[in-house]
Amino acid sequence: MKKFKLIYLFTLMLIVSCQEKPNTLKNQNTHSNQKQTNLVYYKTLSVDGVEVAYREAGDSKNPTLVLLHGFPSSSHQYRKVLNQLSDEFHLIAPDYPGFGNSDFPSAKDYEYTFDNIAKTINSFLELKEINTYTLMIQDYGAPIGFRIATAYPERVTAIINQNGNAYEEGLGEAWKDIRTFWASRNEQTENALLPVFSLEGLKWQYTHGTRNPANVNPDTWHLDFLRLSRPNAHNVNFDLFYDYQNNLKLYPKWQQYLRDNQPPLLIVWGKNDAFFPESGAEAFKQDVKNIDYNIYNTGHFALEEDGNEIINKIRTFMKKVLK
């Protein structure tokens, strides 16, 4: 066990050291009299006994974007956003408990449900004294973000949605085995989902639906594979897979929140997502009037292939919202 942990930590350090870094030298040469706001900091904060890791960039006096990641990823999926938008915005991207570099408490010590994770992330934001923000959601970030938004609508100034679902019509065919698992959780239905945790299965989640798989950094799925190879990681994620059915029961509540509050909404959606196809993006038009609607010919993790274009959209959208 100790040997595995040492190898795991060493490999994580190696991968993180090779991640895309902002061009700070260029900034020093061209803006030597300005703060280097494009630096990304890697911090932790204790939330009810759980160390929550997070990435933070930009001046905290600027408008804040809270970046909520999906499965099987972490704040790592927002590395491009953090690097490119911190010149004008304050960005904060937490890792959920059991994900990324946050603590991985046992299921006996921490309840792995979306209700509880949303509670942890909301407490994290309150401890950081972040009470007004734009939410960026993707995959798991949607049920976590919408729980926070419905509880505290006055805190959410806008929503940026990259394949974050809130409608039954937005669930694709890739949910077939999970629906079977919901109907009867047992060893057989769990085993049917095990390929999701394999290296090839994780690679598929990042590359399926992309125009060119070579556009996607392979560090993404290798990093996720390391984390999902930890003891008990499969069981914890089975708990979350099983709990996901409770998100569907909350869809009407989230839709009512959208109708009542009309948050400015930026849609930046990969249309070839097997989990959340374009029909999920289209459904938001039923309830939100102020939509900046953008569809990309890519997959589940649209930022990987179309990051620069999406980030430009975010910048333009945020400036419009702030006006």
Side-chain angles (χ1 to χ4, degrees), residues 56-102:
E56 186 170 16
D59 190 335
S60 61
K61 295 179 182 178
N62 288 335
T64 297
L65 278 70
V66 176
L67 313 174
L68 300 178
H69 68 80
F71 172 86
S73 192
S74 65
S75 58
H76 179 258
Q77 77 176 68
Y78 288 119
R79 62 198 182 280
K80 297 177 185 178
V81 180
L82 289 154
N83 286 340
Q84 294 185 41
L85 289 181
S86 58
D87 58 336
E88 291 190 271
F89 305 101
H90 174 228
L91 303 111
I92 191 158
D95 293 337
Y96 313 141
F99 289 78
N101 295 312
S102 287

Side-chain angles (χ1 to χ4, degrees), residues 48-323:
D48 297 325
V50 177
E51 288 294 315
V52 173
Y54 63 101
R55 303 178 191 221
E56 186 170 16
D59 190 335
S60 61
K61 295 179 182 178
N62 288 335
T64 297
L65 278 70
V66 176
L67 313 174
L68 300 178
H69 68 80
F71 172 86
S73 192
S74 65
S75 58
H76 179 258
Q77 77 176 68
Y78 288 119
R79 62 198 182 280
K80 297 177 185 178
V81 180
L82 289 154
N83 286 340
Q84 294 185 41
L85 289 181
S86 58
D87 58 336
E88 291 190 271
F89 305 101
H90 174 228
L91 303 111
I92 191 158
D95 293 337
Y96 313 141
F99 289 78
N101 295 312
S102 287
D103 275 356
F104 184 21
S106 72
K108 295 180 181 178
D109 298 322
Y110 186 88
E111 184 182 12
Y112 285 92
T113 64
F114 288 93
D115 278 348
N116 202 34
I117 292 177
K119 178 183 176 182
T120 298
I121 297 304
N122 183 66
S123 295
F124 163 80
L125 294 173
E126 290 180 343
L127 287 170
K128 289 285 292 179
E129 298 183 347
I130 298 174
N131 296 313
T132 303
Y133 44 82
T134 290
L135 285 174
M136 183 166 185
I137 56 177
Q138 193 265 349
D139 189 74
Y140 277 11
I144 292 166
F146 277 119
R147 279 173 168 81
I148 295 172
T150 53
Y152 305 99
E154 72 282 358
R155 298 181 183 179
V156 179
T157 56
I159 297 175
I160 301 165
N161 189 342
Q162 194 260 284
N163 294 65
N165 192 54
Y167 296 85
E168 287 270 6
E169 52 264 54
L171 296 172
E173 293 186 3
W175 289 90
K176 181 181 177 181
D177 286 342
I178 295 180
R179 288 183 183 275
T180 302
F181 174 65
W182 291 344
S184 178
R185 181 175 182 177
N186 54 55
E187 185 176 358
Q188 182 178 355
T189 56
E190 285 185 352
N191 287 341
L193 295 172
L194 285 175
V196 171
F197 306 126
S198 69
L199 191 59
E200 282 303 311
L202 294 168
K203 178 180 178 180
W204 179 88
Q205 292 186 58
Y206 279 94
T207 59
H208 176 78
T210 60
R211 297 184 299 281
N212 182 0
N215 290 333
V216 183
N217 185 342
D219 287 352
T220 54
W221 63 82
H222 282 274
L223 189 58
D224 293 344
F225 179 71
L226 278 172
R227 289 165 174 152
L228 286 167
S229 298
R230 292 177 292 181
N232 297 318
H234 293 181
N235 288 333
V236 160
N237 280 280
F238 282 145
D239 287 346
L240 283 171
F241 289 173
Y242 192 72
D243 186 58
Y244 199 96
Q245 61 188 303
N246 291 316
N247 295 331
L248 278 62
K249 299 173 185 177
L250 291 175
Y251 283 176
K253 182 178 180 179
W254 301 347
Q255 294 158 15
Q256 189 66 49
Y257 155 79
L258 294 170
R259 288 192 294 271
D260 290 344
N261 293 276
Q262 293 297 315
L265 176 62
L266 173 64
I267 294 284
V268 280
W269 202 283
K271 70 176 184 178
N272 305 321
D273 188 343
F275 294 97
F276 306 118
E278 186 180 351
S279 54
E282 188 78 23
F284 281 91
K285 294 180 179 180
Q286 303 170 26
D287 297 312
V288 183
K289 298 176 182 178
N290 184 8
I291 297 185
D292 187 341
Y293 190 81
N294 306 271
I295 302 298
Y296 298 88
N297 182 24
T298 190
H300 186 64
F301 289 100
L303 281 168
E304 292 299 323
E305 192 163 41
D306 291 302
N308 290 337
E309 186 175 349
I310 289 172
I311 290 166
N312 287 335
K313 289 285 184 183
I314 294 172
R315 190 184 296 276
T316 302
F317 171 78
M318 288 300 299
K319 288 181 177 180
K320 182 179 178 181
V321 168
L322 294 173
K323 285 183 180 179

